Amino acid sequence: MIRRAEIRDVPVFGKIINDCAEYGLMLHRSLSYLYEHVRDFHVAVEDDKVVGVCGLSIVWANMAEVYALAVDPAYRGKGIGRRLVLQCIDEAEELGIKRLMTLTYEKEFFTRCGFEIVDRASLPLKVWSECARCPKNQACDEIAMIRVLDVPEINIPRPEAPAGAYEVPVVLKVRSVAITH
C-alpha cells in the first residue's frame, strides 16, 4: 500500500533514505529536514512496516522534483519503487504541474517510468540549491531526467538568476580582547 507519510514514519523512512545515502546514491537527510518536509513524502507499507519512500518537491509553477526514492533492500524488485514514483506523478498531475524532474543514477528505472534524459544546464538554478552540501558537488555524475505530464502549461514567468553582480555579506569571527584600566 502507498500512502502519505505521517510523522510517526519519519524515523523509519529516514533510516531507509540514509542507508542508501551511505552508498552515495542520494543525499543524507537529517531527521529535522524530514520532519519539516514530511508533507513531501509518500511511503510504501507492507505488513504494517514502512519499506519504501519517495518525495515530491515543488520547484516552480511548472516543475517539481521526484527525490529521495529509496526502498528497503529486503523489498527491492517487487515494484515498490515504481509504485512510489507513479504516486508522485499522480500527485503532480492533480496539482497541475507540467514537468517532473529527477537527478538519478537509475537511468533505466526512470526511463521505464516515462522520464527522458535532459541536459542538466536546462534545469532552473533553484534545482541546484542542495548541491552545495553534496560531497560530489564538484564532480557530480547524476543524470538529469524529465517527464512531461499531460496537463496545461501554466503561463507564469520562470525564476530568474539575479541580474548583475550582488554582494554577499561576510562575517569574520573576531577574537574578543578584554580591556582593563
Side-chain angles (χ1 to χ4, degrees):
M1 166 179 76
I2 306 296
R3 65 167 169 76
R4 299 289 303 176
E6 299 171 1
I7 293 294
R8 66 187 168 109
D9 301 325
V10 169
V12 177
F13 76 73
K15 181 175 180 353
I16 294 170
I17 289 171
N18 289 326
D19 285 351
C20 286
E22 287 297 316
Y23 292 99
L25 302 175
M26 64 181 62
L27 291 177
H28 281 86
R29 304 287 174 175
S30 69
L31 285 177
S32 173
Y33 176 93
L34 295 173
Y35 282 119
E36 290 173 17
H37 295 89
V38 69
R39 293 178 182 164
D40 285 359
F41 294 98
H42 289 88
V43 293
V45 179
E46 301 273 332
D47 301 320
D48 295 323
K49 178 183 175 188
V50 172
V51 299
V53 60
C54 189
L56 179 71
S57 175
I58 309 304
V59 176
W60 193 246
N62 285 313
M63 184 173 283
E65 178 182 13
V66 173
Y67 77 109
L69 171 63
V71 177
D72 182 304
Y75 291 85
R76 291 184 187 152
K78 299 180 179 186
I80 292 170
R82 180 174 175 76
R83 290 196 325 260
L84 284 162
V85 170
L86 292 176
Q87 183 64 44
C88 288
I89 290 168
D90 288 346
E91 181 181 7
E93 287 176 332
E94 289 172 14
L95 290 169
I97 294 169
K98 184 71 176 172
R99 288 174 199 77
L100 282 180
M101 55 90 35
T102 192
L103 298 170
T104 185
Y105 296 109
E106 301 295 333
K107 180 180 85 169
E108 289 79 17
F109 172 82
F110 278 98
T111 298
R112 289 191 305 272
C113 291
F115 287 74
E116 296 179 358
I117 296 173
V118 296
D119 180 356
R120 296 158 42 109
S122 70
L123 299 175
L125 188 59
K126 186 176 184 338
V127 168
W128 307 108
S129 63
E130 290 190 348
C131 294
R133 64 184 187 91
C134 179
K136 296 180 181 182
N137 183 350
Q138 299 303 314
C140 182
D141 55 351
E142 286 185 305
I143 300 163
M145 300 184 79
I146 294 274
R147 177 170 170 168
V148 178
L149 304 179
D150 190 21
V151 298
E153 182 91 24
I154 299 171
N155 190 13
I156 294 178
R158 290 182 54 160
E160 296 178 14
Y166 56 96
E167 292 184 29
V168 176
V170 176
V171 177
L172 301 174
K173 186 173 183 179
V174 178
R175 187 178 71 170
S176 59
V177 178
I179 299 175
T180 58
H181 293 251

